[in-house]
């Protein structure tokens, strides 16, 4: 019997194992990230531990909560799947780092499912706080933008209903994210050593939240937004979730999907154009690549 079972790992050896890692890494990301927003929006105010309104300190909870959520999501999945945990990163790797195209859709599916189920668990643990918050505000769930924001994003009121402003924000934020990820993992450049890469990637997300966050909630990740958005739609937030409509925005749901996908590609191209091709000319291609020119070129 021992000889028959020895070395038989089945689906865990190949793509199936990578999808499990992407699922769990994204699950950890969304669980900790959305929970940090739940703390800032409904948990602290409703617990009797905070008497002031949502302010700068709460925003710091959100920014650092999401940053560390990325850190631990990457540590969970990095050794197996590379811890993309973001469809924009997966697309950028397929275009610029010879990541197999056949894996793109399965990776994205695993990421969205992980995000969806993590949002469900956050709701299960914070439903009391959410319901108390809405009751105190005198709002039904489908009109409570604040509690919807625990799970998914929306644009700032100053955009005045414009799609272009939030779309630009998502393109720029994700381009910065992917550019810096490429810099941090490029061993030919000044990549951090001693397994500090995941921590530094998390700090990239933190600084994006501190610099671009108020514009549109810095989704910068289609799975991060759509998975929880789908959960909130099924859980009673209605049009706030899908199609993503409120007093000053409408049909918003597609922007945190399209914007990050476009921005991720731009960030990858910019890094390779300004840095990747330069270090390749000096030191050779990145490990695992036979050329500094991806198959798409």
């Amino acid at each position: 019997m021992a000889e028959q079972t020895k070395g038989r790992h089945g689906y865990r050896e190949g793509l199936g194992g990578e999808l499990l890692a992407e699922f769990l890494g994204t699950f950890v990301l969304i669980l900790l990230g959305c929970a940090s927003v739940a703390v800032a929006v409904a948990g602290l105010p409703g617990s009797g531990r905070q008497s002031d309104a949502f302010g700068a300190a709460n925003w710091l909870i959100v920014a650092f909560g999401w940053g560390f959520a990325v850190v631990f999501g990457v540590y969970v999945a990095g050794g197996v799947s590379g811890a993309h945990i973001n469809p924009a990163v997966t697309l950028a790797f397929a275009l610029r780092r010879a990541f197999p195209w056949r894996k793109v859709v399965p990776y994205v599916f695993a990421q969205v499912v992980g995000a969806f189920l993590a949002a469900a668990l956050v709701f299960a643990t914070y439903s009391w706080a959410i319901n108390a918050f809405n009751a105190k505000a005198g709002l039904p769930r489908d009109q409570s933008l604040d509690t919807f924001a625990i799970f998914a994003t929306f644009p700032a009121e100053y955009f005045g209903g414009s799609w272009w402003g939030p779309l630009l924000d998502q393109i720029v934020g994700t381009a910065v994210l992917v550019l810096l990820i490429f810099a941090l993992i490029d061993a030919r450049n000044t990549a951090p050593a001693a397994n500090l890469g995941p921590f530094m990637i998390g700090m990239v997300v933190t600084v994006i939240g501190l610099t671009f966050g108020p514009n549109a909630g810095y989704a910068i990740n289609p799975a991060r937004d759509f998975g929880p958005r789908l959960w909130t739609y099924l859980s009673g937030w209605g049009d706030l979730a899908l199609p993503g409509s409120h007093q000053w925005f409408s049909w918003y749901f597609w922007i945190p999907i399209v914007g990050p996908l476009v921005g991720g590609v731009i960030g990858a191209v910019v890094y390779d154009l300004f840095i990747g091709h330069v270090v390749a000319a000096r030191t050779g291609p990145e490990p695992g690549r036979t050329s500094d020119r991806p198959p798409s070129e």
Side-chain angles (χ1 to χ4, degrees):
M1 179 64 71
E3 291 181 357
Q4 291 178 350
T5 59
K6 184 178 179 181
R8 291 178 59 185
H9 304 291
Y11 67 89
R12 291 185 290 271
E13 284 186 325
L15 179 59
E18 295 174 30
L19 299 184
L20 288 175
E22 281 297 300
F23 167 84
L24 187 59
T26 310
F27 184 92
V28 169
L29 164 64
I30 302 305
L31 180 70
L32 300 180
C34 286
S36 74
V37 186
V39 167
V41 170
L44 280 176
S47 68
R49 295 177 174 84
Q50 177 179 321
S51 57
D52 298 332
F54 187 101
N58 300 74
W59 188 257
L60 289 176
I61 292 172
V62 172
F64 280 96
W66 277 108
F68 281 106
V70 170
V71 170
F72 295 116
V74 174
Y75 274 124
V76 163
V80 177
S81 67
H84 296 182
I85 61 177
N86 182 339
V89 173
T90 299
L91 178 62
F93 269 83
L95 285 170
R96 308 299 301 178
R97 289 296 183 274
F99 180 76
W101 280 101
R102 65 180 178 82
K103 294 184 178 182
V104 170
V105 172
Y107 263 52
V108 171
F109 179 77
Q111 292 156 4
V112 172
V113 173
F116 177 86
L117 293 179
L121 184 55
V122 171
F123 176 79
T125 54
Y126 272 100
S127 59
W128 292 271
I130 289 169
N131 292 336
F133 183 95
N134 289 341
K136 184 176 181 179
L139 292 172
R141 186 175 293 175
D142 63 357
Q143 295 179 25
S144 179
L145 185 62
D146 288 331
T147 55
F148 167 75
I150 291 172
F151 301 97
T153 64
F154 64 91
E157 190 170 0
Y158 48 70
F159 285 119
S162 166
W163 282 345
W164 169 238
L167 182 62
L168 176 63
D169 170 81
Q170 288 298 289
I171 291 172
V172 171
T174 314
V176 171
L177 171 67
V178 172
L179 185 154
L180 294 180
I181 288 174
F182 275 30
L184 288 168
I185 66 173
D186 192 344
R188 307 163 305 172
N189 200 349
T190 54
N195 290 328
L196 281 176
F199 177 79
M200 297 308 301
I201 291 171
M203 293 307 96
V204 170
V205 174
T206 299
V207 77
I208 291 172
L210 294 174
T211 53
F212 292 97
N215 275 338
Y218 73 111
I220 57 175
N221 180 338
R224 171 266 174 274
D225 190 83
F226 184 73
R229 184 179 294 274
L230 182 59
W231 168 258
T232 55
Y233 176 75
L234 297 175
S235 301
W237 273 270
D239 288 350
L240 284 174
L242 291 171
S245 298
H246 190 56
Q247 296 173 4
W248 63 85
F249 58 90
S250 62
W251 287 85
Y252 182 76
F253 80 95
W254 62 273
I255 290 177
I257 297 174
V258 174
L261 293 176
V262 173
V265 172
I266 291 174
V269 170
V270 168
Y271 180 79
D272 281 343
L273 179 64
F274 284 86
I275 302 297
H277 293 169
V278 175
V279 294
R282 297 182 177 196
T283 64
E286 284 184 83
R289 292 179 66 187
T290 57
S291 169
D292 66 308
R293 297 176 64 87
S296 59
E297 292 187 344

